[in-house]
Amino acid sequence: MSVTLPDKESVLREMATHPAVAAIVAWNEAALTDARWDRDELTLTIAREEIIGAAQAVQKAGYNFLEDITAVDWFPASPRFQISYHILSHKLKQYIRLRVMLDEASPAVETLTSVWPSANYYEREVFDLFGVRFDQHPNLRRIMMPDEWSGHPLRKDYPVEGYR
């Protein structure tokens, strides 16, 4: 499908049979806050408090491999942080992206280590570089920066030369 579907309504209408869309709708359509199909990529925006259920739903639909977790700092916009989960189905040969938006005041989301244990190190990297907390994470601590490092260097408001 080479067209762009820019919003939730058009994705739900045109892609109702897509395995990930169908899985999320069957599980809890209200958890889907936005959706987009662009450049042959499906992005499903999930309510922060529903990410574990959404991950389990797409996992049951055949999306078996958590490829990456990353973040975007949209400073000064609100919500400020975007957490992107890139997930692959080997069987279906398809990628999807689950996305969660977080406010600056409470940049925290539940860990996905209970669904995909490989989330451990990706979440630690996002925590270290962006300061986003992953609640219930088994070992949330810095992974790249020294323990005594002040701040989170990939935040847009972090000084270019660091804090002095």
Side-chain angles (χ1 to χ4, degrees):
M1 179 182 280
S2 61
V3 302
T4 298
L5 302 173
D7 56 26
K8 177 181 172 180
E9 292 74 26
S10 59
V11 168
L12 291 177
R13 183 179 58 252
E14 301 295 326
M15 301 183 73
T17 60
H18 186 284
V21 174
I24 295 294
V25 168
W27 163 70
N28 180 2
E29 186 176 342
L32 183 64
T33 61
D34 197 12
R36 182 176 180 88
W37 174 265
D38 190 22
R39 296 177 183 90
D40 294 331
E41 294 182 355
L42 177 63
T43 302
L44 303 173
T45 305
I46 305 296
R48 178 182 67 147
E49 57 279 354
E50 302 291 350
I51 189 60
I52 290 179
Q56 291 169 335
V58 296
Q59 187 180 55
K60 289 177 187 167
Y63 292 86
N64 60 311
F65 182 69
L66 176 67
E67 186 177 72
D68 188 28
I69 301 173
T70 191
V72 178
D73 182 355
W74 292 108
F75 181 80
S78 184
R80 179 174 178 174
F81 298 104
Q82 170 185 314
I83 307 301
S84 295
Y85 303 88
H86 301 106
I87 305 166
L88 168 68
S89 169
H90 289 99
K91 180 180 174 183
L92 301 169
K93 296 178 176 58
Q94 293 179 350
Y95 287 96
I96 60 166
R97 178 183 302 111
L98 296 183
R99 183 174 84 151
V100 174
M101 302 303 291
L102 302 173
D103 291 322
E104 182 175 11
S106 59
V109 65
E110 199 74 24
T111 181
L112 285 187
T113 55
S114 63
V115 181
W116 285 294
S118 62
N120 185 335
Y121 295 104
Y122 300 129
E123 290 176 349
R124 285 180 58 194
E125 181 181 8
V126 170
F127 164 71
D128 192 6
L129 299 176
F130 289 91
V132 172
R133 298 199 54 82
F134 292 87
D135 296 335
Q136 306 303 312
H137 190 281
N139 189 21
L140 192 62
R141 60 187 172 91
R142 289 197 181 269
I143 191 170
M144 299 178 84
M145 304 303 291
D147 289 337
E148 66 277 357
W149 194 266
S150 179
H152 305 282
L154 289 186
R155 285 188 172 199
K156 295 270 176 94
D157 56 354
Y158 188 81
V160 173
E161 295 183 11
Y163 294 111
R164 297 184 183 260

